Amino acid sequence: MFAKVYQYKFPGLTEAKVAATFCSDYLGKQITKYNFQSLNILIGKEGNLSIFIKFSTIEKLKRYENESDQFIKELKQTFVFKENQYAGVFVYNYESEATSSEIKMSTQAAS
């Protein structure tokens, strides 16, 4: 599993919330185009914003990186923040899937 990680530090929580809305909207529209395996956006109480985008192959990650300039450009034109970003490989990843072990049975009433 491959990932693109963005880490931003905004002046405060309010700015981070507004930026998170922008990022969620923009990146959410890119899920199908770039075949994201997953997209996670987290806000910290001190104005931190972290974005994790997972890809199933290095080729998909590279394609996204080659074409993601517009996202960064719009973010920089709109907000003031400190930035750190990098691409990496997940060494360990655990995610529990939401499943239900409940089986519901229904019977139709006899006429």
Side-chain angles (χ1 to χ4, degrees), residues 28-53:
K29 293 176 183 174
Q30 306 303 314
I31 292 171
T32 303
K33 179 179 180 180
Y34 294 105
N35 199 17
F36 293 170
Q37 196 71 24
S38 72
L39 170 63
N40 298 290
I41 301 175
L42 299 91
I43 298 176
K45 65 180 179 178
E46 301 296 324
N48 298 302
L49 178 66
S50 297
I51 302 170
F52 300 89
I53 307 172

Side-chain angles (χ1 to χ4, degrees), residues 75-89:
L75 199 61
K76 287 180 178 178
Q77 289 174 347
T78 309
F79 301 99
V80 175
F81 57 87
K82 292 180 183 176
E83 167 187 25
N84 183 24
Q85 61 173 291
Y86 59 91
V89 176

